[in-house]
Amino acid sequence: MQENERLAHAFEEKRPRLQAVAHRMLGSSDEAEDAVQEAWIRLHRSETDSVENLDGWLTTVVGRVCLDMLRARNRREEFLAEHAEPSGEPRTEELSDPEQAAVLADSVGLAMLVVLDTLDPDERLAFVLHDTFAVPFADIAAIIGRSPAATRQLASRARRRVHGASPLPDLQRQHKVVDAFLTAARSGEFERLLTLLAPDATMHADDTAVRIGAAPLTEGAQGVASIFSGGAEAARIALIDGSVGAVWQSKTRPIVVFNFTIEDGKITAIDLVAGPERLKELDIVVLDA
């Protein structure tokens, strides 16, 4: 009993780091929790007397679990792409609670959220574990079943793709403007909204958005600011097809997507998309959960 309590206490101390590793690998809070829970199950079932570095042991286990999950995800997506009919639900993935989202945005970067999805599972694990968590290549090599030299090459290739991602500066600017706009809207800062909108800003709404209460067309910063001032409580910042926008959703189902056009730091247009068929086509990743 005392040994179980000791292990449980040690595991809980290391849970935040394990959660961070899994979260950056999988991009999903729920899947990260599943991976960490699986690590606890394996720890509970294992003989740990000879384990000298519990942190390293648990990181290795979580890495292997995440790698299996990523490979299974890839196989599932490939199968669906080949055999399945288009899904009736748009792809949405809640990344985290606000604190986790902020940590992820700071340490990984918005562009990386886009680029990580293009890496294969081995590249992703090698890059994330080494560059974010300083796990030695020899340890990562044992997880993916490659030599340390090959693992180093995987991480190097992933690093070039991530750091060479041209969307990074643009995404950061977009995020800053959209975040400021939604913050001003929620607090009813009308004048602040005007400073974020171009004088001739417009807002267009598709037929479905009109049916649920939006105006088909609003012209001018004054009109757009009037609509948003004191509102947008339910809107959450999201990557919409790789650009920063916002989404209003019911649980995980998008109701309306807000596409922002930003030029020279000013919002020139906002397009409201609510048509079910159009929403199905969008790749939506919620950043502000």
Side-chain angles (χ1 to χ4, degrees):
M1 180 63 70
Q2 288 182 345
E3 177 63 15
N4 287 339
E5 290 179 356
R6 184 189 68 81
L7 278 178
H9 179 71
F11 184 83
E12 288 306 316
E13 284 186 338
K14 301 179 189 306
R15 181 185 289 273
R17 185 177 187 277
L18 298 174
Q19 186 78 20
V21 170
H23 195 275
R24 284 158 178 73
M25 282 295 302
L26 300 169
S28 163
S29 295
D30 290 341
E31 288 186 336
E33 289 177 5
D34 290 343
V36 172
Q37 186 60 28
E38 177 63 23
W40 163 246
I41 292 172
R42 295 188 187 187
L43 175 65
H44 192 63
R45 292 174 178 173
S46 300
E47 295 291 336
T48 57
D49 293 341
S50 60
V51 175
E52 296 181 1
N53 182 357
L54 184 60
D55 186 59
W57 189 92
L58 287 170
T59 300
T60 298
V61 171
V62 169
R64 285 174 175 159
V65 172
C66 289
L67 187 61
D68 289 343
M69 293 171 74
L70 286 171
R71 287 171 174 169
R73 182 193 295 174
N74 280 9
R75 288 193 296 269
R76 184 169 61 251
E77 290 175 352
E78 289 170 1
F79 177 83
L80 290 174
E82 292 179 7
H83 302 288
E85 293 296 323
S87 170
E89 294 292 333
R91 177 175 176 261
T92 62
E93 187 173 8
E94 181 177 339
L95 288 181
S96 60
D97 62 31
E99 182 178 359
Q100 290 173 319
V103 171
L104 187 63
D106 288 341
S107 63
V108 181
L110 291 172
M112 195 184 296
L113 295 176
V114 179
V115 179
L116 279 179
D117 279 340
T118 71
L119 303 179
D120 70 36
D122 288 6
E123 288 177 332
R124 186 166 179 163
L125 184 136
F127 173 76
V128 170
L129 287 187
H130 182 267
D131 283 41
T132 306
F133 296 98
V135 177
F137 284 121
D139 294 349
I140 302 170
I143 298 174
I144 62 178
R146 304 199 188 200
S147 69
T151 303
R152 184 186 296 273
Q153 287 298 317
L154 284 175
S156 178
R157 185 163 64 239
R159 190 181 304 115
R160 287 194 300 270
R161 292 173 66 180
V162 169
H163 293 305
S166 59
L168 177 57
D170 207 37
L171 285 172
Q172 289 176 328
R173 287 191 290 268
Q174 292 173 17
H175 188 279
K176 182 178 180 179
V177 173
V178 173
D179 182 52
F181 184 83
L182 293 179
T183 299
R186 291 166 186 154
S187 57
E189 299 177 60
F190 184 81
E191 295 300 323
R192 174 62 173 150
L193 289 173
L194 290 179
T195 68
L196 295 166
L197 291 161
D200 59 350
T202 61
M203 185 172 74
H204 296 81
D206 67 11
D207 292 342
T208 304
V210 171
R211 284 197 294 272
I212 61 178
L217 173 63
T218 303
E219 296 182 296
Q222 292 275 343
V224 175
S226 296
I227 291 172
F228 278 93
S229 184
E233 286 292 336
R236 295 292 176 259
I237 295 178
L239 286 176
I240 312 296
D241 283 347
S243 296
V244 179
V247 61
W248 168 37
Q249 60 184 13
S250 174
K251 295 184 179 178
T252 59
R253 184 174 68 87
I255 305 300
V256 179
V257 158
F258 303 77
N259 284 321
F260 290 81
T261 301
I262 301 170
E263 298 176 6
D264 298 324
K266 300 281 188 179
I267 298 168
T268 60
I270 303 173
D271 292 293
L272 307 186
V273 179
E277 293 305 315
R278 180 71 184 99
L279 288 176
K280 292 176 190 176
E281 300 172 355
L282 298 177
D283 184 16
I284 304 168
V285 181
V286 178
L287 301 178
D288 177 17

